[in-house]
Amino acid sequence: MTPLEQLPAWAAVPAALLLLAGAAMTLLGSIGLLRLGGFYERVHAPTLGTSAGIACVLLASMLVFSVLQSRPVLHELLVGLAVIVTTPVTLMLLARAALYRDRQEADATVPARQPDAPAAGPPAAPLAAPLAAPSAGPGKEPPAGDAASAAP
């Protein structure tokens, strides 16, 4: 008798559904890889399919082994964390490397590099504002020694 034969139906059915859902999501990601045209379009489908698919497969694994061992089995969370963290990072590295290569080759299908934008936020105030000369208002005498007041 194998350990899976001891798995109750209340745990086997959700685990099977999770496995099928994970396999379907991974298959959709693979189909997206084949169907989409350019490189920049093609990198997204497998990334999303892998992340969602692995989550379902790991949940099924956690369910099955937690029921069989009569204790919570959480090792799969580390695997899921590693996949969910590394998959988008790999996507970004591949996309940036391809973008750099395409810009070096002057490919017309990718936008040119934009100049670095200034930092977001309000503009910085000058450290010291120049002092303005006091002005003579109506009924006030200009200050003594002012060059503007010496003119006739």
Side-chain angles (χ1 to χ4, degrees), residues 30-141:
S30 300
I31 291 171
L33 178 66
L34 293 174
R35 298 281 305 190
L36 294 173
F39 173 78
Y40 299 103
E41 298 165 348
R42 295 176 78 181
V43 292
H44 292 287
T47 303
L48 296 173
T50 299
S51 297
I54 197 71
C56 289
V57 171
L58 290 176
L59 284 173
S61 175
M62 288 172 59
L63 175 65
V64 167
F65 289 108
S66 293
V67 169
L68 289 178
Q69 295 180 9
S70 300
R71 64 179 178 86
V73 177
L74 303 176
H75 302 95
E76 287 85 355
L77 289 178
L78 293 174
V79 175
L81 180 68
V83 169
I84 289 175
V85 167
T86 58
T87 302
V89 171
T90 305
L91 163 74
M92 280 183 38
L93 289 174
L94 284 172
R96 286 183 180 211
L99 185 62
Y100 178 79
R101 182 200 62 213
D102 289 345
R103 284 182 177 157
Q104 291 297 322
E105 295 174 356
D107 188 354
T109 61
V110 296
R113 182 181 168 99
Q114 299 295 321
D116 291 334
L127 294 177
L131 295 175
S135 63
K140 292 187 180 177
E141 289 289 320

Side-chain angles (χ1 to χ4, degrees), residues 1-16:
M1 181 175 216
T2 66
L4 288 180
E5 291 174 0
Q6 299 172 0
L7 189 65
W10 64 266
V13 171

